Amino acid sequence: MTPDVELDCRGLICPQPVIELGRAIAKIAIGQVIGVTATDPATRYDVPAWCRMKHQEFLGEQDSEDGVPMFLVRRVS
Amino acid sequence: MSSGGSGDQDREAGTGPTYLDAASSEPLHPAARDTWSAALEHGYADPRRLHGSARSSRLLLDNARAVVAESLDVRPDEVTFTSSGTSAVHLGLLGLVQARRTRGRVIVHSAVEHSAVLHAAQWGGEPVVVGVDSDGVVDSGDLLARANEPGVAVCALQSANHEVGTIQPVGSIELPEGLPVFVDACASMGRLPLPDGWSTVAGSAHKWGGPAGVGILLVRTGLRWENPFPADDRADHRSSGFENVPAALAAAAALQAVVAERDEVNARQHALIDRIRAAAATLPDTEVVGHPDQRLPHLVTFSCLYVNGEALVTELDRRGFGVASGSACTASTLEPSHVLAAMGALTHGNVRVSLTRTTTAEDVERFCAVLPDVVAAVRQ
C-alpha cells in the first residue's frame, strides 16, 4: 500500500514520530492514509496506541525498501 | 548537592524529596532495622558447624524460616532463603524444568512476566508466550490451550504485575493434572496472601521493606524439583552460598510486620492510588493503565502522549518527587516496557508511581497538584 502522505521519521527518537503524526493528521482529508517510517522501537507500539486514543484507524505495518518499518494510519475522524 | 531549582528550595525548607518508587524498592521497615542490628552480634557463625556460636546462627536461621512460613501460611520446610528475588525466580522456574526434563522443555508464560522470568525462560527452556487483555490480565483460555500441548514442562504466571499492578487469576485456571506452576510473587508477597495453585514461588525482601540481598523460594512439599545449578554443601540444598543470617532474620521480621499491618495499609494505599488514577485521568491525552480494582494497592502507571518519559521523570524529580518509568528512553535496553507493549498501552511518556507504607495523603495531594504543570511544561 502506498500512503497518501509519508512522514520520514528515521532517526527521530520517541516520542517525536508520534508528535509528527499528531501534527500531520489534521492536514489530510478523512479517508486518507499517512505512513510513518520510523527506526525508533517504541513507534511500533505507540502508533496503534495513538490511533486508539485519537479514534483513528491503524492499518498495520509494512517494510520500506531499506527494511525500516512504515506504520499506516487512516484518518477516520 | 545539585544546584538551583524550586525543588531544591523545597528540600532546604524541610519538606524533603518524596519517594514514590516503593515498587522498585521499599524503604527499610523499622522491624527489619531493629532485628538486623540485634542479629549481627550472634548471627555471624556458620550454621553448619557444631559449636555454640554455630548453634546460635542455626537457631536464628530456623527462626527466620519459621516466621516467614507463618507469615505466608506455608510449612517451614517449604521455605528457602536465596540471595535475591531474581535468584529465587531462577531456582523456582528452572528447578521445575530440570525435574520435568523428560517431558519437554516448554515454559508457557504470560507476556507480562518480570524480565527475570523472561530471561530465565529463554535461557533454560522453550518459551511460549500467552497474551493479555488491555488491563494486563492473562488470556486464561489461551494459557490453558498452550499448557495442554505436548512437551510442556511448566507454566509460569505472576501473582500480580510489577508495572501496572493488575492481579492475575493464578488460582482459578484449571491447568492439566500434574503440570507445575511457578508463581513470581515478588510484587505482592507480604502485601497480599499467596494465591492458590502454586508449585514454586519467588519473593524478594526489599520489595516489602526487608533488606536487599534476601529472596524467598517456596517449593511445595512433595513436589518434584531439582536444583538446576551446581550443588553447594549448605544445610539447605535448594540454594547456594553462605546464608546471610542477620538479613534473613530482618527480612522475616519485616514480612511479619507487613502482614500484620496490611489490612490498614492496603486500604489506605488503595484509596490514595484511586486519587492518583483520577488525577492522571484528567490530564489531556493521558491514559491510566492497568485494572482499576483488581490490582496491587500501592501502585499505578499512566502514559502521556507527546511527552518524553525521561524528561517527565526528571522534571518530577526536580519538583521533589521520585518516580519510575516504563518508557524506552528510561530503560537500559532502550526498548519500551514489554508489559505496556503487550497490553497495547502507550509506552512513551510513562510514569509509575508506587507508595511506601509511610506515604501520606498530603504527599499524594502535593503530587496530584504539580502533575498538570509538569506534563504541560514537558509537553511544551
Side-chain angles (χ1 to χ4, degrees), chain A residues 13-15 18-19 21-23 40-43 45-50 52-54, chain B residues 285-287 303 305-309 328-329 334-336 341 343-348:
Chain A
I13 294 173
C14 100
V18 173
I19 290 174
L21 174 59
R23 287 187 181 137
D40 179 76
T43 311
Y45 307 108
D46 289 348
V47 168
W50 178 92
R52 181 171 44 72
M53 292 170 77
K54 291 299 186 181
Chain B
D285 290 329
T286 295
E287 66 173 5
S303 299
L305 264 180
Y306 312 134
V307 167
N308 175 289
C329 46
L334 294 178
E335 289 282 334
M343 295 167 65
L346 184 68
T347 72
H348 73 239

Side-chain angles (χ1 to χ4, degrees), chain B residues 115-308:
Chain B
S115 56
V117 176
L118 303 185
H119 288 314
Q122 284 157 11
W123 184 88
E126 294 166 26
V128 164
V129 183
V130 176
V132 298
D133 66 17
S134 58
D135 284 333
V137 181
V138 74
D139 183 332
S140 302
D142 198 33
L143 185 72
L144 197 54
R146 306 313 300 269
N148 272 294
E149 286 168 4
V152 176
V154 62
C155 179
L157 183 60
Q158 64 192 189
S159 56
N161 188 267
H162 51 295
E163 288 197 35
V164 304
T166 300
I167 292 172
Q168 300 293 351
V170 174
S172 60
I173 305 175
E174 299 260 353
L175 290 168
E177 186 76 36
L179 179 65
V181 180
F182 163 69
V183 178
D184 172 12
C186 289
S188 70
M189 191 174 278
R191 301 172 191 273
L192 302 178
L194 290 175
D196 293 329
W198 58 269
S199 306
T200 57
V201 174
S204 175
H206 73 99
K207 300 282 187 188
W208 68 67
V214 178
I216 299 292
L217 166 70
L218 302 180
V219 179
R220 189 81 84 161
T221 303
L223 181 78
R224 279 180 58 218
W225 181 93
E226 290 179 29
N227 196 326
F229 301 128
D232 189 19
D233 300 324
R234 305 306 311 170
D236 187 339
H237 296 293
R238 292 193 185 128
S239 190
S240 59
F242 193 90
E243 300 90 346
N244 190 337
V245 174
L249 204 60
L255 183 62
Q256 186 176 55
V258 164
V259 170
E261 298 165 350
R262 71 185 175 201
D263 287 348
E264 185 269 322
V265 171
N266 287 357
R268 183 162 47 78
Q269 289 179 334
H270 193 102
L272 290 177
I273 289 294
D274 275 344
R275 175 74 188 96
I276 297 174
R277 289 182 71 98
T282 66
L283 298 170
D285 290 329
T286 295
E287 66 173 5
V288 181
V289 187
H291 202 286
D293 307 302
Q294 296 305 305
R295 57 171 176 81
L296 293 169
H298 66 304
L299 73 88
V300 59
T301 234
F302 56 89
S303 299
C304 307
L305 264 180
Y306 312 134
V307 167
N308 175 289

